[in-house]
């Protein structure tokens, strides 16, 4: 009994130490605090984006979840919540893509939160839990308290979505947002044509675009012209 009690105490101490180490490792000090307002864009950093990614993985991780869906969710959260991660999204076959995902996955592995592994059968990258996953919720609460309600609303909206739906919605959101920024005509025909022009592989989704646009309007996934134009 004494040995078991000692082991439990040791495990609790290890978990507390791990949480503190991860918190310090992911903490990037800023010169001065950024005051947030409802309309202001909050600048953030790669460590906070890593925490957000870890939280999204934890909430969505299942057989069909992987890098593609995570990338689209990160894009949508950043643009809808207007959090400036200094990202540089570009046109990719599966929608908006940013090379920062590779640095995020490196950090997740380095700090023992998630390990990104490529499936040899379908080449999809998926995420496997590591010991540090227990710290994710607490770190998210600390870093995204101001945006938590809005992020949770996005998570709830996409909770039952498959990765293909996320790809369609993220790409439609991107072309719609591009037109707002450029001051171009916006109607369903133009948005669908921009979607199909994004990449030749988008043709397979032609019959799903009308329902996707309706779904976006019903769920208020409508861009505001925030952020940068996403181009090839």
């Amino acid at each position: 009994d004494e040995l078991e009690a000692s082991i439990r105490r040791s495990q609790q101490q290890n978990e507390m130490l791990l949480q503190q180490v991860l918190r310090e490792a992911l903490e990037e000090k800023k010169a001065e605090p950024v005051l947030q307002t409802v309309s202001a864009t909050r600048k953030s950093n790669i460590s906070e984006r890593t925490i957000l990614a870890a939280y999204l993985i934890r909430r969505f991780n299942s057989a069909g979840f992987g890098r593609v869906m995570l990338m689209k969710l990160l894009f949508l959260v950043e643009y809808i919540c207007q959090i400036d991660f200094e990202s540089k999204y570009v046109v990719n076959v599966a929608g908006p893509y940013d090379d920062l995902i590779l640095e995020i996955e490196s950090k997740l592995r380095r700090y023992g939160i998630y390990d990104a592994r490529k499936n040899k059968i379908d080449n999809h990258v998926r995420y496997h839990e590591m010991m540090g996953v227990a710290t994710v919720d607490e770190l998210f609460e600390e870093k995204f308290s101001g945006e938590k309600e809005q992020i949770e609303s996005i998570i709830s909206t996409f909770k039952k979505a498959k990765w293909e739906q996320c790809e369609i919605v993220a790409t439609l959101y991107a072309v719609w947002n591009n037109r707002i920024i450029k001051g171009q005509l916006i109607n369903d025909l133009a948005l669908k044509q921009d979607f199909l022009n994004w990449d030749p592989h988008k043709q397979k989704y032609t019959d799903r675009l009308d329902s996707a646009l309706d779904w976006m309007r019903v769920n208020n996934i409508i861009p505001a012209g925030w952020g940068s134009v996403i181009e090839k």
Side-chain angles (χ1 to χ4, degrees):
D1 289 344
E2 290 178 0
L3 179 58
E4 289 178 353
S6 176
I7 291 172
R8 283 196 297 272
R9 286 195 298 272
S10 177
Q11 289 174 336
Q12 290 170 353
Q13 290 170 353
N14 286 341
E15 288 177 3
M16 291 174 62
L17 178 61
L18 176 61
Q19 290 180 12
Q20 184 61 31
V21 168
L22 283 173
R23 188 173 291 106
E24 291 177 359
L26 291 168
E27 182 70 30
E28 291 185 9
K29 295 182 179 179
K30 300 176 182 178
E32 56 185 34
V34 178
L35 297 177
Q36 296 182 40
T37 65
V38 174
S39 60
T41 294
R42 175 164 85 88
K43 291 189 73 67
S44 195
N45 55 47
I46 183 63
S47 293
E48 289 177 330
R49 201 178 191 211
T50 301
I51 293 168
L52 173 60
Y55 188 73
L56 291 173
I57 294 171
R58 197 191 71 74
R59 294 297 301 274
F60 283 92
N61 217 9
S62 64
F65 183 83
R67 180 188 285 167
V68 172
M69 190 167 174
L70 175 61
M71 185 80 265
K72 307 315 159 227
L73 289 169
L74 282 172
F75 163 74
L76 289 167
V77 169
E78 178 176 351
Y79 272 64
I80 293 172
C81 298
Q82 299 186 9
I83 308 171
D84 182 6
F85 285 111
E86 298 183 349
S87 56
K88 294 179 175 61
Y89 286 99
V90 295
V91 169
N92 180 270
V93 61
Y97 175 82
D98 182 2
D99 276 337
L100 275 176
I101 190 66
L102 303 178
E103 186 174 349
I104 287 171
E105 290 174 351
S106 176
K107 279 181 173 288
L108 288 173
R109 185 182 300 107
R110 188 184 316 149
Y111 298 126
I113 302 174
Y114 283 103
D115 183 25
R117 302 177 193 169
K118 180 176 286 190
N119 187 296
K120 294 181 180 179
I121 298 175
D122 59 16
N123 284 327
H124 286 181
V125 174
R126 295 187 173 89
Y127 302 98
H128 299 262
E129 287 188 5
M130 300 174 74
M131 187 176 177
V133 74
T135 67
V136 169
D137 286 0
E138 187 175 346
L139 290 168
F140 175 78
E141 291 277 351
E142 287 182 10
K143 299 300 182 182
F144 293 94
S145 58
E147 299 85 9
K148 180 183 176 182
E149 184 176 347
Q150 195 171 17
I151 293 173
E152 290 292 352
S153 176
I154 295 170
I155 290 173
S156 177
T157 299
F158 284 90
K159 191 61 180 175
K160 295 181 180 180
K162 304 298 183 183
W163 67 268
E164 286 186 334
Q165 184 179 350
C166 287
E167 175 186 337
I168 293 169
V169 171
T171 307
L172 282 171
Y173 189 101
V175 298
W176 191 342
N177 199 61
N178 282 353
R179 283 187 167 267
I180 295 174
I181 295 172
K182 294 177 179 179
Q184 296 175 335
L185 174 70
I186 296 173
N187 57 41
D188 284 9
L189 184 61
L191 294 176
K192 289 189 289 184
Q193 191 58 55
D194 286 352
F195 179 96
L196 296 174
N197 291 341
W198 182 279
D199 186 273
H201 289 84
K202 295 299 186 189
Q203 297 291 331
K204 62 184 178 182
Y205 297 128
T206 301
D207 295 337
R208 298 176 61 175
L209 298 184
D210 286 323
S211 59
L213 285 167
D214 290 342
W215 184 89
M216 289 172 71
R217 292 187 175 101
V218 168
N219 290 280
N220 199 31
I221 307 297
I222 300 173
W226 180 89
S228 302
V229 172
I230 299 174
E231 298 175 316
K232 294 182 180 179

